[in-house]
C-alpha cells in the first residue's frame, strides 16, 4: 500500500474512472453500472430535499439523464459522486422553485437575529429531529438539509439557491431555532 500524502485522496477522486470514461464514449453497460452504483444515494439526497417520493424519483431520473448528457464536461476535479450530487441538488431546488414552494413560508427576512439558545444535541432523540424536520416550512427544511445533512457551507448554499451568504446564514439560524421549538413541543 502506498503511504504518500494525497495518494488516497487521488484514488478516491478517480473512483470509477474507467466507468466514467466508458460512459463518456456512450457505452450503455458502463452507464448502467454507474447508475447502479449511485442511484440509491442520489435518491436519498433527492428525498431529503423534496420529501415526496414521486418528485424525488422524477428528479433522480432527470438528474441521471442530464449527467450522462453532460458527462464530457466532467474532468475529475471532484469525485463523480460529488459532481452527480450537485446535479441532483440543483434539479431538486429547481423543482421546488417551479412549484413555488421554496421560501414561500419564510417571513421577516430583514429582522435581526436573536441569540440562539444553547441546546445540547444529546437532549434530542433522532426520531424527534426527523419528525421536527418534516414539520418545518419547506424553505427552512432546505437550508437545514443543505447545511447540516449535505455539508454545504453558506457560500455554496447561496450559490445553489440564488441567495446571499448572509441570507443563507440568517435563514439557517431561524430554521434551527424553529426546529428546536418544534422538537421541544414533541
Amino acid at each position: 500500500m502506498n503511504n504518500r500524502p494525497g495518494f488516497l485522496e487521488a484514488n478516491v477522486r478517480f473512483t470509477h474512472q474507467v466507468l466514467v470514461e466508458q460512459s463518456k464514449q456512450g457505452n450503455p453497460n458502463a452507464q448502467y453500472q454507474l447508475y447502479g452504483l449511485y442511484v440509491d444515494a442520489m435518491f436519498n439526497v433527492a428525498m431529503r430535499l423534496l420529501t415526496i417520493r414521486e418528485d424525488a424519483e422524477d428528479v433522480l431520473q432527470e438528474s441521471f439523464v442530464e449527467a450522462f448528457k453532460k458527462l464530457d464536461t466532467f474532468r475529475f476535479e471532484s469525485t463523480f459522486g460529488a459532481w452527480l450530487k450537485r446535479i441532483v441538488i440543483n434539479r431538486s431546488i429547481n423543482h421546488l422553485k417551479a412549484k413555488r414552494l421554496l421560501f414561500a413560508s419564510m417571513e421577516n427576512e430583514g429582522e435581526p437575529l436573536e441569540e440562539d439558545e444553547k441546546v445540547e444535541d444529546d437532549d434530542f432523540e433522532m426520531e424527534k429531529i426527523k419528525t421536527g424536520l418534516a414539520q418545518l416550512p419547506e424553505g427552512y427544511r432546505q437550508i437545514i438539509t443543505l447545511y447540516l445533512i449535505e455539508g454545504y457551507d453558506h457560500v455554496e448554499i447561496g450559490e445553489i439557491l440564488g441567495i446571499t451568504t448572509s441570507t443563507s446564514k440568517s435563514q439557517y439560524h431561524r430554521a434551527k431555532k424553529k426546529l428546536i421549538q418544534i422538537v421541544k413541543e414533541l
Side-chain angles (χ1 to χ4, degrees):
M1 178 167 198
N2 195 328
N3 291 326
R4 290 189 328 254
F7 180 75
L8 182 60
E9 293 83 15
N11 283 345
V12 169
R13 195 174 63 201
F14 293 106
T15 300
H16 307 123
Q17 181 177 11
V18 172
L19 288 176
V20 171
E21 293 299 338
Q22 290 174 350
S23 294
K24 282 182 178 184
Q25 297 168 8
N27 181 327
N29 186 42
Q31 291 175 345
Y32 182 75
Q33 287 181 51
L34 274 177
Y35 178 85
L37 288 167
Y38 290 97
V39 67
D40 291 339
M42 295 305 127
F43 175 76
N44 289 334
V45 169
M47 269 304 289
R48 284 193 297 265
L49 291 165
L50 299 170
T51 68
I52 299 170
R53 182 177 193 81
E54 292 79 14
D55 290 349
E57 290 170 347
D58 289 346
V59 164
L60 179 68
Q61 295 309 314
E62 293 167 4
S63 298
F64 272 101
V65 168
E66 179 180 342
F68 288 131
K69 281 183 181 176
K70 293 183 174 182
L71 205 50
D72 60 324
T73 66
F74 179 65
R75 305 272 185 250
F76 295 98
E77 294 165 357
S78 65
T79 64
F80 176 77
W83 182 76
L84 180 59
K85 182 177 177 181
R86 177 71 110 183
I87 292 172
V88 171
I89 288 172
N90 287 337
R91 283 237 168 224
S92 297
I93 298 298
N94 289 340
H95 180 83
L96 289 170
K97 284 180 180 178
K99 288 179 120 181
R100 294 190 173 108
L101 293 176
L102 193 60
F103 300 116
S105 59
M106 292 186 186
E107 299 173 1
N108 306 320
E109 185 169 304
E111 291 182 7
L113 295 174
E114 297 175 18
E115 274 303 306
D116 288 341
E117 297 174 32
K118 292 290 180 195
V119 179
E120 294 297 322
D121 291 336
D122 297 339
D123 294 342
F124 298 122
E125 298 169 28
M126 194 49 110
E127 287 306 311
K128 283 186 176 181
I129 292 173
K130 288 179 183 176
T131 302
L133 276 171
Q135 292 178 19
L136 280 176
E138 191 70 35
Y140 283 172
R141 187 170 48 244
Q142 302 314 310
I143 294 286
I144 290 276
T145 299
L146 289 171
Y147 187 78
L148 291 180
I149 298 173
E150 300 302 333
Y152 287 99
D153 64 31
H154 291 294
V155 172
E156 293 170 318
I157 293 170
E159 291 171 3
I160 290 168
L161 299 179
I163 58 176
T164 66
T165 301
S166 60
T167 299
S168 175
K169 288 178 182 178
S170 66
Q171 293 302 333
Y172 168 72
H173 288 291
R174 287 188 183 100
K176 185 170 79 170
K177 187 174 182 179
K178 181 72 173 170
L179 179 61
I180 290 168
Q181 175 190 350
I182 290 170
V183 172
K184 281 183 178 180
E185 292 172 2
L186 293 176

